[in-house]
Amino acid sequence: MTGTIARRLASIVPVMCIVAICVFLLLHFAPGDPAAIMAGDNATPQNIAAIREKLGLDQPVWRQFVVWVGNLLRGDLGTSLFWGDSVTSLIAQRAEPTLSLALTTIALAVVVAITLGVVAAARVGSLIDRVVMGFAVMGFSVPVFVVGYLLIFVFAINLKWLPVQGYTPISEGVGPWLQHLVLPSFALGMAYVALIARITRATMLDVLAEDYMRTAKAKGVAAAPMLLKHALKNAAVPIVTVVGNGVALLIGGVVITETVFNIPGVGRLVVDAIARRDYPIIQGVIMVFSGVYVLVNLLVDLSYTLFDPRIRG
Amino acid sequence: MKATRRTVMGGSLATVGLATAPGILHAQARPSAARTIRAVLAGDLATYDPIWTTADITAYHGAMVYDTLLGTDANNVPQPQMVKGWAISDDKLTYTFELRDGLRFHDKTPVTSADVVPSIRRWMVRSGQGQLLALRLADLSAVDDKTFRVRLKERFPLVLDMFATTCTPDLFIMRKREAETDPMQKIDQVVGSGPFIFNQNETKAGTQYVYDRNPDYVPRGEPPSGIAGGKVVKVDRVVFVNMPDAQTAVAALQSGEIDFYEIPPTDFLDQLQDDPAVTVENLYDLGSMGYIGINWLYPPFNNLKCRQALLHILNQEDMLRPTFGSPKWYRTCGSYFTCGSPMENDANTGWFKSGPNIALAKQLLAEGGYDGKPIVMLQATNIAYMANAATVMAEQLRGAGIKVDLQPMDWANVVARRANQSPPDQGGWNIFFTSASGLANSTPYMMAHLATIGTKGWFGWPTDEKNEQLRAQWMSAETLEQRKAIAAQIQENAWNIVPLLHFGQWIQPVAHRKNVTGWLHEPGLLVFWNVEKT
């Protein structure tokens, strides 16, 4: 087990190296000039050239890359070109809202989607099954921002039940914190629920068709324990895999959701940074997101041992 | 340790606890919502140094934190602000200013001439207006703690106007420590003597910028007018909220989560005007002028006839309507200077009055030797008025037989691209779109884009000695009548040589909650003193 974890951790290194190279090259070969944006619309070419020189943006790309990688190896993600703050501190400031949104969305999605998937599988072919699958198709098809605006219109503007936008830290009370997360979590969770519900239903149908399930039924095991204890546990590995892979979907969705609901998270940080070509922030956030994605998938792999004793050996 | 579901759950909860702990530690008391104004402005405050950048939002930040020596009143006339008054020598070459009593920086140190002199010097390096002043400056020195003196090499009647300017960068007075920062570097501390104190602890870069009322600020006794008069703060806190999504900002304003929205899109104006809790108001009386940059360095627009052809192709109405909808928010304008400003005139505007003349345009293009090569037009697709203007103008040009290579990109890419002096087919360009504030475009000296000094000038790089001579004459003129007469000559020449084009003028009204009143109308600056929440 320890050897497996060590090997998996070691495999992260080349992945992150490739990500670092791709991120840097893509950004620096993409058009745009932070110095020109920084200088303002009334600036002359001389002003812009002076700023570019001060920021080191006039240096050859390879030299900028060497400096960035050197800093990265020391754990320094760099400094924002605009604010002068360290990228690490900016990400740390924004981590709580993003973490809150991601965790509430995952919790909501897992509970709702697994329930829907199990119910749909148990009642396969019924109206409930069709409704659940119809919802899954819709959840996958409608973009996050459309769902977000609809939720704002109905629940924030018309019914006035929930706030339109913003984020309240959990330190100011769980109530206000949750109030600000309900709509974004629903908006962000739609596609995630759809994905997990479909996989849950399909996997549950496979498991329910197994001989041992028929045996359990013949022995008189009640429906609920049979579904939850016997079927769901054996269907867990593919579901957990999808939950892990879906983190990529979640990361992409976080960026849009935070913009629509004005949540000051890491997603907003990177969107704003892209608009003004604040390279260190974009590079830093992508490195962090990539690291999170790789680690989540490592945890998913390790979690298989919780559900399937055969993998522990 | 064996991994079980219980240990995994326990670890997850501990992680959440650790992540939220800093928020708990830093939680602190804030002024009530009734004494706080939450304002969404046109963009994010990307830098705190209002001398270093010309970005409007940084000038708004500057007006909160710093004070100015003079301020323009509602009639755009310079009035004393930090200074008690000034004396001008008989030969009009020496200006002596005296600072008023009660001026203190937020660190409690007094404002002295030793702070003012380096502040002016740094501004003169960064500001286009300041550079014009520097050319004429013989000496700038502190006489004593409260008095400083400006000596000129030649008469320059714009000294007071420039000290009072609201055309970015404004002349904000900083502590000597920050004022002596290399003008090419940004300042590292935000300590001013203005009516608000920048609250760095509550500010979250990219999210919200917090300003608390300065309890030690001594406002002037005169009533507020423009940015002149008493800066009386009537709330405890102002928060600039960065909210990039327009639809969310409109919804937040309607639900009362924010108090002010600087740039509600015109699509939403009717909806906001129908809301009894919201007021739509025009704070920037001169609005904005649509600006079309023309590259003078390469064919076809390095040719006079081809540039003149553009005047006869352009239809401003068609370029404005898709973005601004109702004519109450826009108008066409043939003047080289902002319509509605004192310099507006109708010299050499026959092309505008008669409307597009495609036959004449084709003739001029033929005389100019246009060879049918596509022109490169930069289109910023993330800014509606630029995107729409480009789409419409591309069609207008095609209608006159010009091939157009319309290149969509985001604004960040346009600002990088427009600085490229390479040929259009090697990364350069022929036409790009932006806008200028109506105030900045109302005189020939405030904005760099009205200079015609070739490749050292603004993007497009027009060269014209006559325009430069006329601008110099305008700046030396002492009366409004003289300035108007020279402005007409500048315009006469400009619409002959076509250094640039305008695609009309528009108003961007603001929207605010009805219970937030007292907004001051100042063409170049948004200010939050005198504003109260009832």
Side-chain angles (χ1 to χ4, degrees), chain A residues 38 41 82 94 149 164 260, chain B residues 186 205 245 248 257 418 458:
Chain A
M38 226 179 258
D41 205 32
F82 285 77
R94 309 293 195 96
Y149 289 138
V164 170
V260 170
Chain B
K186 289 184 275 189
D245 190 273
T248 307
E257 290 173 34
R418 71 182 181 183
W458 214 63

Side-chain angles (χ1 to χ4, degrees), chain B residues 121-348:
Chain B
R121 287 197 187 285
R122 187 163 184 265
W123 169 80
M124 285 196 299
V125 176
R126 298 294 306 179
S127 158
Q129 296 182 60
Q131 288 160 17
L132 294 170
L133 176 60
L135 288 173
R136 295 156 172 92
L137 190 70
D139 181 45
L140 168 65
S141 56
V143 177
D144 57 40
D145 275 358
K146 290 199 136 192
T147 314
F148 63 97
R149 183 175 294 147
V150 175
R151 282 201 310 110
L152 302 171
K153 295 176 196 163
E154 60 187 80
R155 283 189 180 193
F156 191 53
L158 294 173
V159 172
L160 301 179
D161 299 81
M162 288 184 171
F163 279 11
T165 189
T166 54
C167 185
T168 59
D170 304 23
L171 175 48
F172 294 114
I173 302 304
M174 298 180 172
R175 294 185 304 184
K176 183 171 186 282
R177 178 190 176 281
E178 284 83 36
E180 288 183 339
T181 305
D182 174 352
M184 295 303 161
Q185 296 272 26
K186 289 184 275 189
I187 55 169
D188 61 353
Q189 286 189 30
V190 184
V191 179
S193 63
F196 289 90
I197 299 171
F198 186 52
N199 185 332
Q200 207 119 23
N201 291 331
E202 298 255 350
T203 289
K204 290 174 185 155
T207 304
Q208 62 170 25
Y209 305 88
V210 180
Y211 304 87
D212 292 329
R213 186 175 67 84
N214 176 7
D216 298 328
Y217 185 76
V218 181
R220 297 186 68 88
E222 302 93 338
S225 171
I227 60 160
K231 297 180 178 178
V232 179
V233 177
K234 298 177 178 176
V235 291
D236 290 336
R237 175 170 285 187
V238 175
V239 182
F240 291 177
V241 182
N242 178 26
M243 198 179 292
D245 190 273
Q247 191 146 339
T248 307
V250 167
L253 181 68
Q254 291 191 284
S255 68
E257 290 173 34
I258 60 169
D259 301 295
F260 177 90
Y261 184 23
E262 191 187 10
I263 49 160
T266 41
D267 296 352
F268 291 98
L269 289 177
D270 289 342
Q271 177 187 331
L272 289 170
Q273 283 181 315
D274 290 342
D275 188 328
V278 173
T279 300
V280 174
E281 183 177 359
N282 178 28
L283 296 185
Y284 313 112
D285 296 329
L286 291 174
S288 299
M289 295 288 288
Y291 176 99
I292 303 170
I294 305 168
N295 191 338
W296 274 47
L297 302 183
Y298 298 101
F301 303 124
N302 61 350
N303 180 278
L304 176 65
K305 298 272 185 189
C306 291
R307 291 197 302 274
Q308 288 173 339
L310 293 176
L311 292 174
H312 301 285
I313 296 170
L314 202 69
N315 184 330
Q316 294 185 0
E317 174 77 25
D318 287 352
M319 295 173 78
L320 293 166
R321 201 184 319 108
T323 306
F324 300 101
S326 167
K328 67 184 168 186
W329 305 120
Y330 71 85
R331 69 169 167 180
T332 58
C333 175
S335 173
Y336 188 63
F337 299 101
T338 303
C339 286
S341 74
M343 297 305 131
E344 177 189 359
N345 66 84
D346 68 350
N348 197 10

Side-chain angles (χ1 to χ4, degrees), chain A residues 208-264:
Chain A
L208 288 171
E210 293 283 345
D211 291 345
Y212 63 85
M213 293 305 299
R214 198 163 47 243
T215 307
K217 198 172 180 181
K219 283 171 74 179
V221 177
M226 195 174 74
L227 279 173
L228 300 177
K229 199 171 171 187
H230 297 283
L232 185 58
K233 189 176 176 188
N234 284 299
V237 169
I239 296 171
V240 169
T241 306
V242 167
V243 170
N245 290 339
V247 168
L249 193 71
L250 201 65
I251 288 171
V254 156
V255 173
I256 299 165
T257 310
E258 288 184 353
T259 303
V260 170
F261 289 95
N262 194 39
I263 294 172

